[in-house]
């Protein structure tokens, strides 16, 4: 299967993996699965660090790149297909970063690793 980590899941996988569920931990350590992290998560982390809502042990670009490497995850860039999909999503969720991750998952057919219960209201598969 193919999984896309949302920002919180990526951060927790990198900083506190023991807080993840057994199901998520199993997926993250099983090389049979393909893992993806979105550049949107790096953007969200950059904004949150700049306003003091998130403390990272290093610069955002280094943290994001190292987390992706450690997870053996591929980085999913932002492209126009995903932006177009956001325009068609209902407004169940107000967070623009989460809406973009939902759009990416829907377009690519990924299951999202997220603790956010609102993701499922978009018809995206969610694991937590």
């Amino acid at each position: 299967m193919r999984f896309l980590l949302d920002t919180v899941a990526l951060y927790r996988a990198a900083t506190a993996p023991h807080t993840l569920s057994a199901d998520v931990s199993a997926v993250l350590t099983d090389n049979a699965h393909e893992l993806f992290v979105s550049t949107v998560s790096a953007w969200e982390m950059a904004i949150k660090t700049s306003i003091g809502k998130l403390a990272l042990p290093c610069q955002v670009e280094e943290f994001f790149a190292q987390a992706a490497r450690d997870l053996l995850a591929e980085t999913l860039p932002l492209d126009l297909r995903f932006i177009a999909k956001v325009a068609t999503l209902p407004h169940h969720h107000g967070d623009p970063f989460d809406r973009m991750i939902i759009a990416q998952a829907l377009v690519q057919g990924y299951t999202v690793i997220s603790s956010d219960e609102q993701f499922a209201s978009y018809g995206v598969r969610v694991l937590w």
Side-chain angles (χ1 to χ4, degrees):
M1 287 188 72
R2 299 165 78 188
F3 294 89
L4 174 61
L5 286 80
D6 78 353
T7 306
V8 172
L10 174 62
Y11 178 78
R12 288 175 66 175
T15 63
H18 62 280
T19 65
L20 300 171
S21 73
D23 289 341
V24 170
S25 294
V27 164
L28 297 182
T29 57
D30 183 348
N31 291 336
H33 299 297
E34 292 180 80
L35 301 178
F36 297 85
V37 292
S38 175
T39 55
V40 170
S41 291
W43 181 16
E44 182 176 9
M45 287 180 194
I47 288 173
K48 287 187 175 181
T49 58
S50 73
I51 62 174
K53 285 191 165 189
L54 179 66
L56 296 177
C58 54
Q59 295 297 314
V60 172
E61 61 273 24
E62 182 183 342
F63 180 86
F64 182 82
Q66 186 62 53
R69 277 192 303 273
D70 290 348
L71 290 167
L72 303 177
E74 186 176 331
T75 300
L76 184 62
L78 185 59
D79 77 34
L80 290 175
R81 296 174 303 145
F82 308 136
I83 294 166
K85 184 65 176 177
V86 167
T88 70
L89 295 177
H91 291 277
H92 302 305
H93 203 304
D95 185 306
F97 301 107
D98 288 343
R99 288 175 58 82
M100 182 57 68
I101 288 172
I102 290 162
Q104 289 177 307
L106 288 169
V107 169
Q108 297 296 104
Y110 298 159
T111 297
V112 179
I113 297 176
S114 176
S115 63
D116 191 326
E117 295 175 358
Q118 289 184 321
F119 277 45
S121 65
Y122 289 94
V124 69
R125 292 182 312 272
V126 179
L127 175 70
W128 191 248

